[in-house]
Amino acid sequence: MKLAAGVEWALHCCVVLSRATAPVPGARLAELHDVSRSYLAKTLQSLSRAGLVSTTEGRDGGYLLVRPASEISVLDVVRAVDGTEPAFRCTEIRQQGPFPTTGEACLSPCGIAKVMHEAEQAWQTSLRQVSVADLAATFEATSGSAALRQLSGWLAG
Amino acid sequence: MKLAAGVEWALHCCVVLSRATAPVPGARLAELHDVSRSYLAKTLQSLSRAGLVSTTEGRDGGYLLVRPASEISVLDVVRAVDGTEPAFRCTEIRQQGPFPTTGEACLSPCGIAKVMHEAEQAWQTSLRQVSVADLAATFEATSGSAALRQLSGWLAG
DNA sequence: GTTTACTTACTCGGATAATTACTGTCCGAGTCAGGACGG
DNA sequence: CCGTCCTGACTCGGACAGTAATTATCCGAGTAAGTAAAC
């Protein structure tokens, strides 16, 4: 099981954007995290399609959070970037082979799929309980409030 | 996020093996699930390396569970096949760019990594609570106890 | 002074390669069961 | 009748291609601000 690398970037970008007032260009975000601007754009597009960030084109354009950071959960970001496909996909292999299960038993999802699905729900529930605002608050606590303020100034300049 | 396809096969194989008394050849397991024997062997090797199944070579050889099915959790199987690498790998991109976080703040894992790690723990906890024996019991309940008995006979013959 | 049109530079977006991991396949080394032979 | 040896075939294990997805990159379409000119 592997999560897309862009998830980490997207989360960091959202934290930065939570402190931004004016649109932040993708190039600036890329420079800040030292990643390729072109590839980061792909990730930001995912956030845009999911309705998490708004894009402003033209000069002085860039990205901005649509909702308040407190109303954006980590799960929202993860699902936007990594997709909503479940990690476990039951192929119902029981229906193959010399002893296929009867149709009736296959109508209800097989026990394995059920267990895997419940685990994924637990994972999502855990991510849903944390918002981008919470992350930003954690950063302020560990890095000091001056850091984000300094960063905001750099974004503006 | 995507789980390896072999996880599903491995779980089904473990359920079957939980009802087996004699070693079951990989070819038989492959035929039962209608998958490639060679590729299924790759998955079974993972289970063997993890110490979940024992292998018997030579004639009448095959695979057998080492521990009782009630002492093998779904998480054991998933970790054996899919690996123990965490889905989220923090690359500490904060240390890059024009505003790297101070060394002190980086010693402790960053808030994002912490959240993702906790979610993964929740996922694992959910999978740990279900054993292979539980899965087998579910199958007996849905498919009827006759199904697994019939299957055992086929495995022996 | 105000309005208007233009130029300019900067933005995002989608289409396009390179790499990595996963999926699938093959053949060889090792081993146990069964049978034949000799005692 | 029993023990030993041999044969044989079947088993798993690791090494080898094919394919799909992720990662990374490029260039073009579109837009808003700034500027200069006309009214």
Side-chain angles (χ1 to χ4, degrees):
Chain A
M1 191 172 60
K2 207 179 61 171
L3 217 51
V7 170
E8 185 180 5
W9 308 348
L11 286 171
H12 278 280
C13 286
C14 283
V15 169
V16 170
L17 289 177
S18 73
R19 298 289 167 169
T21 53
V24 180
R28 193 59 67 98
L29 289 171
E31 186 184 353
L32 180 64
H33 299 98
D34 193 32
V35 296
S36 156
R37 181 240 167 276
S38 302
Y39 187 36
L40 182 62
K42 208 175 198 35
T43 301
L44 292 171
Q45 280 177 36
S46 300
L47 294 180
S48 175
R49 288 197 195 118
L52 297 179
V53 303
S54 64
T55 63
T56 310
E57 292 195 347
R59 179 167 170 168
D60 294 1
Y63 299 91
L64 216 51
L65 292 186
V66 172
R67 288 179 268 163
S70 60
E71 294 178 14
I72 299 179
S73 70
V74 174
L75 179 61
D76 290 332
V77 178
V78 170
R79 283 171 64 94
V81 176
D82 199 59
T84 58
E85 284 284 312
F88 182 84
R89 299 163 306 271
C90 182
T91 58
E92 281 293 347
I93 59 179
R94 291 181 298 166
Q95 294 184 12
Q96 310 291 339
F99 284 96
T101 52
T102 59
E104 185 181 344
C106 282
L107 286 180
S108 59
C110 90
I112 290 177
K114 181 165 171 282
V115 169
M116 301 301 290
H117 180 68
E118 285 176 357
E120 213 159 327
Q121 287 293 321
W123 180 73
Q124 293 190 5
T125 298
S126 180
L127 291 180
R128 208 193 322 267
Q129 290 170 352
V130 181
S131 72
V132 172
D134 296 332
L135 291 177
T138 301
F139 283 141
E140 282 198 339
T142 58
S143 301
S145 59
L148 274 181
R149 208 186 321 272
Q150 179 188 22
L151 193 138
S152 295
W154 180 74
L155 289 176
Chain B
M1 190 172 62
K2 207 178 62 170
L3 217 51
V7 171
E8 185 180 4
W9 308 348
L11 286 171
H12 278 279
C13 286
C14 283
V15 169
V16 170
L17 289 177
S18 73
R19 297 290 167 167
T21 53
V24 180
R28 193 60 66 96
L29 288 171
E31 186 183 354
L32 180 63
H33 299 99
D34 193 32
V35 295
S36 156
R37 180 240 166 278
S38 302
Y39 188 35
L40 182 62
K42 210 176 199 35
T43 302
L44 292 171
Q45 280 177 36
S46 300
L47 295 180
S48 175
R49 288 195 195 119
L52 297 180
V53 303
S54 64
T55 63
T56 310
E57 292 195 346
R59 181 166 170 171
D60 293 2
Y63 298 92
L64 217 52
L65 292 185
V66 171
R67 289 179 268 163
S70 59
E71 295 178 13
I72 299 177
S73 71
V74 174
L75 178 62
D76 290 331
V77 178
V78 171
R79 284 171 63 93
V81 175
D82 200 60
T84 58
E85 284 285 311
F88 182 84
R89 298 163 307 272
C90 182
T91 59
E92 281 294 348
I93 58 180
R94 291 180 299 165
Q95 296 185 12
Q96 311 291 339
F99 282 96
T101 52
T102 59
E104 185 181 344
C106 282
L107 287 179
S108 60
C110 89
I112 290 176
K114 182 165 171 283
V115 169
M116 301 301 290
H117 180 67
E118 285 176 357
E120 213 160 327
Q121 286 292 321
W123 179 72
Q124 292 191 5
T125 298
S126 180
L127 291 181
R128 211 193 320 269
Q129 290 169 353
V130 181
S131 71
V132 171
D134 295 333
L135 292 178
T138 301
F139 283 141
E140 282 199 339
T142 57
S143 300
S145 59
L148 273 180
R149 208 187 321 271
Q150 181 188 19
L151 193 137
S152 295
W154 180 73
L155 289 175

